[in-house]
Amino acid sequence: FGLIRRALLSATFVWSAIGVLQNAEHMTGPADALGLPEPVTMVKIHGWVNLVGGIMLALNIKPKLAATAMAGNLAVTTAGAHQFWEIDDKGEKVEQMVHFSKNLSLLGGLLGVLAANGSPSDDA
């Protein structure tokens, strides 16, 4: 079940990365909100980390390193892009709460990869 488990977890990261890389210029809002320099470049880096990390995880290539990189990327994205507590519009607030919760679930999956495989420094 390891291959299936890794592929299912990786799918969200790979598919979203493709969309991010194709539309980076239009997805800079969170990077702007966080005050990051070169927002388009930051968005592209985010996309590449998820694309490469997702593929590495799915193929079991340095899975701990991939999970660690994607978890860090996900933590920043979740904090910067889904600040539901600051939204007044009820519909938008609910939508951002769903994304925030989904990201926490993905983070749990990535932490599960680390728990099952040890620390990133153990990657062979």
Side-chain angles (χ1 to χ4, degrees):
F1 288 108
L3 174 63
I4 294 169
R5 185 178 64 234
R6 289 188 312 275
L8 290 173
L9 180 57
S10 296
T12 296
F13 291 96
V14 171
W15 283 116
S16 69
I18 292 167
V20 166
L21 291 169
Q22 290 175 337
N23 300 295
E25 294 79 18
H26 305 290
M27 303 181 83
T28 59
D32 288 330
L34 289 172
L36 298 175
E38 302 292 331
V40 173
T41 300
M42 292 295 127
V43 170
K44 288 179 180 180
I45 290 170
H46 165 80
W48 280 110
V49 167
N50 284 344
L51 181 63
V52 173
I55 292 169
M56 287 174 61
L57 182 60
L59 298 176
N60 204 30
I61 300 168
K62 296 199 175 282
K64 296 167 279 195
L65 177 62
T68 300
M70 290 188 301
N73 208 16
L74 187 60
V76 172
T77 300
T78 302
H82 305 299
Q83 298 176 350
F84 65 89
W85 55 89
E86 296 197 3
I87 298 172
D88 293 325
D89 178 82
K90 194 168 191 115
E92 179 66 17
K93 184 178 198 108
V94 169
E95 183 178 335
Q96 293 306 318
M97 286 175 71
V98 168
H99 287 298
F100 187 90
S101 298
K102 175 217 17 132
N103 284 5
L104 290 181
S105 296
L106 290 169
L107 186 56
L110 293 170
L111 293 175
V113 170
L114 291 174
N117 293 295
S119 73
S121 63
D122 295 335
D123 249 337

